[in-house]
Amino acid sequence: MTQEELNERAKQAVLTYKVDEAKKVAQDALDQGADLVQVIDKGFTVGIQEVGDLFEQKKVFLPHIMAAAGAMSAGVDLLKPHLGAGSVGGKKGKFVICTIEGDIHSIGKDIVAIMLEVAGYQVINLGRDVLCDDIVKSCVENQPLAVGTSALMTSTMVNQKALEEKLKAAGIRDKILTNVGGAPVSQDWADQIGADIYSENANDCVAKINKVASD
Ligand code: HCB
């Protein structure tokens, strides 16, 4: 089976909410030594984005989203241990990541976390709906190169701004790069709140962090 066929099957498994098929595609990809990052990025991720679009068009509803997310997680969880994540020992630096306070959306943030690990960063994934105070605490303890926050709702984006203020108050803002992402987030928003880097997607995030890490 070609890489494109595997990617398409992964996408369809999410689009049709099929947990078993998502696991099977992942296993087939492993068995044939396929490019696993592509299966995630061009397969499962595209599937969940399309389900998201259908949701916005009111063609599917919340239970469908949850089922699609479940299929995606089942496939990605199988692939994760085989991605070579951290194979270079996280030598490029630490990256603290989480979904911002008040927000439980975790799929995109977890994809970014995986891609950063594969790229050689030591990722400290704090989870979702993480209090700004806890993010600051982790930054003080871990002294990462960067902290990335994900916001999927207009109502929680404001907490990315609050984090900027809290990092300043803790006296560590100038020692850490801040990275913001999530569907409603934009370069304009990053500029407005004084975040260092806006990332449109996981690849964009890795590329931009690689650039600053190598400067
Ligand atoms: Co949810 N939800 N949801 N949801 N949800 C959205 C986000 C809406 C836009 C849907 C809509 O109404 N049109 C909407 C927000 C409206 C708004 O404020 N503008 C919404 C709402 C309202 C809600 C609830 C309040 C619904 C309810 O309960 N009534 C509730 C949230 C409660 C809360 O958080 N307190 C809710 C719940 C859910 C779930 C649980 C059903 C499920 C989440 C499951 C999970 O994450 N474990 C869910 C989902 C899946 C979505 C949609 C359909 C897809 C989000 C997603 O996973 N996209 C979404 C609609 C949409 O976005 N089109 C909808 C796919 C990923 C791959 O994309 O953008 O997250 P991404 O990540 C990209 C990119 O942004 C970037 O890289 C990622 C990978 O390429 N990136 C970063 C992201 N984070 C980054 C961090 C970095 O540092 C760097 C880059």
Side-chain angles (χ1 to χ4, degrees):
M1 187 169 291
T2 65
Q3 181 74 50
E4 286 67 33
E5 283 166 339
L6 280 169
N7 298 347
E8 180 62 23
R9 271 180 64 202
K11 175 183 131 180
Q12 289 301 332
V14 174
L15 268 172
T16 52
Y17 327 115
K18 292 200 174 101
V19 172
D20 287 347
E21 170 61 5
K23 285 187 190 165
K24 195 163 181 314
V25 181
Q27 192 56 56
D28 288 349
L30 287 169
D31 292 345
Q32 69 176 70
D35 183 335
L36 306 182
V37 171
Q38 267 208 45
V39 175
I40 295 177
D41 196 34
K42 302 203 183 323
F44 293 125
T45 304
V46 178
I48 195 80
Q49 277 161 345
E50 289 192 14
V51 175
D53 292 344
L54 292 172
F55 184 71
E56 310 234 303
Q57 296 158 23
K58 299 197 184 344
K59 290 184 178 156
V60 300
F61 301 96
L62 216 54
H64 302 102
I65 297 293
M66 296 178 87
M72 171 149 184
S73 301
V76 172
D77 284 354
L78 242 160
L79 297 180
K80 234 193 270 181
H82 305 277
L83 282 166
S87 57
V88 283
K91 284 203 183 104
K92 285 196 189 165
K94 291 183 190 172
F95 193 107
V96 167
I97 193 164
C98 64
T99 310
I100 201 76
E101 187 169 333
D103 200 319
I104 65 162
H105 296 87
S106 59
I107 296 171
K109 176 263 300 174
D110 286 335
I111 292 170
V112 176
I114 289 171
M115 297 304 181
L116 283 166
E117 277 184 12
V118 171
Y121 294 90
Q122 182 186 340
V123 176
I124 299 149
N125 189 338
L126 301 178
R128 56 189 179 169
D129 186 10
V130 181
L131 297 178
C132 289
D133 287 338
D134 289 343
I135 304 172
V136 173
K137 201 168 153 227
S138 177
C139 289
V140 169
E141 280 169 16
N142 292 296
Q143 298 178 25
L145 168 69
V147 56
T149 55
S150 185
L152 264 289
M153 299 194 291
T154 42
S155 57
T156 55
M157 283 166 67
V158 289
N159 290 332
Q160 292 179 322
K161 185 173 192 301
L163 178 64
E164 292 287 330
E165 302 308 322
K166 292 204 175 204
L167 288 168
K168 277 183 206 150
I172 55 167
R173 176 62 188 88
D174 54 349
K175 298 182 179 72
I176 296 173
L177 292 166
T178 54
N179 172 226
V180 288
V185 175
S186 62
Q187 183 63 56
D188 269 3
W189 174 247
D191 294 343
Q192 210 178 308
I193 67 173
D196 297 305
I197 302 165
Y198 160 66
S199 301
E200 190 181 354
N201 54 46
N203 290 330
D204 187 36
C205 179
V206 170
K208 285 175 176 163
I209 294 294
N210 274 343
K211 189 166 184 309
V212 285
S214 65
D215 281 349

